Amino acid sequence: MKNGGFFTKILVIAGTALLWLPILAPVILSLVVGIQRGKYYFDYLMPAELFVLVLSGGVLLAWAALRARIRRKPILLGFGAAVVLLVGCQGLAVASGLASGETKPAGIWWIIVLSMLIAYDLMVVFLGINGVLFVREIHK
């Protein structure tokens, strides 16, 4: 088969699905809870809490990209950036005292940690979009 075969297609589809779960879960759960309680709650930390899914999906997508030689650069760079951003965000939160509650969630450290968390979330969306495009390309 062209572009790596059936196994590569399975890797791409599974990786893409795993990457979208941490992004879609808080949105869907927020809507369900909002309908039930009449108030909208959004857990913006859930994509970071579900990093195991992002890690698994990123590894599968990177493996497929290397096998098929399609979208290697954006997937590998995006996956590496997502990991670095999340680890850096957590490390900075611990080092600054935000993680323990020693430091109040305000000021420059809070802004930097939240910015890194937002950048991580955007990188996961970027990977998910690349996964969808990869699925389209590999099925041509």
Side-chain angles (χ1 to χ4, degrees):
M1 283 183 119
K2 189 177 173 183
N3 293 334
F6 181 73
F7 182 65
T8 303
K9 290 180 181 182
I10 297 297
L11 290 174
V12 173
I13 293 169
T16 302
L18 287 171
L19 284 166
W20 277 109
L21 277 174
I23 297 300
L24 296 177
V27 173
I28 292 168
L29 291 173
S30 295
L31 290 173
V32 170
V33 170
I35 291 169
Q36 289 176 347
R37 296 186 183 169
K39 193 172 182 182
Y40 187 75
Y41 295 96
F42 185 78
D43 185 1
Y44 63 91
L45 293 174
M46 194 178 288
E49 293 166 351
L50 296 175
F51 178 68
V52 172
L53 297 176
V54 173
L55 182 64
S56 302
V59 167
L60 293 177
L61 205 58
W63 186 9
L66 292 171
R67 284 177 54 91
R69 296 188 173 135
I70 299 173
R71 299 197 161 272
R72 286 181 291 189
K73 192 173 184 179
I75 289 171
L76 294 175
L77 289 175
F79 182 51
V83 171
V84 167
L85 284 165
L86 186 62
V87 170
C89 171
Q90 291 176 339
L92 188 57
V94 169
S96 67
L98 287 167
S100 66
E102 190 177 305
T103 303
K104 290 187 178 193
I108 191 68
W109 296 118
W110 176 247
I111 292 169
I112 294 171
V113 167
L114 276 183
S115 297
M116 290 175 78
L117 184 63
I118 291 168
Y120 162 77
D121 291 341
L122 291 173
M123 201 54 59
V124 175
V125 170
F126 172 78
L127 283 168
I129 290 169
N130 271 283
V132 170
L133 294 174
F134 194 174
V135 168
R136 288 183 59 196
E137 287 178 27
I138 204 163
H139 281 92
K140 283 184 181 178

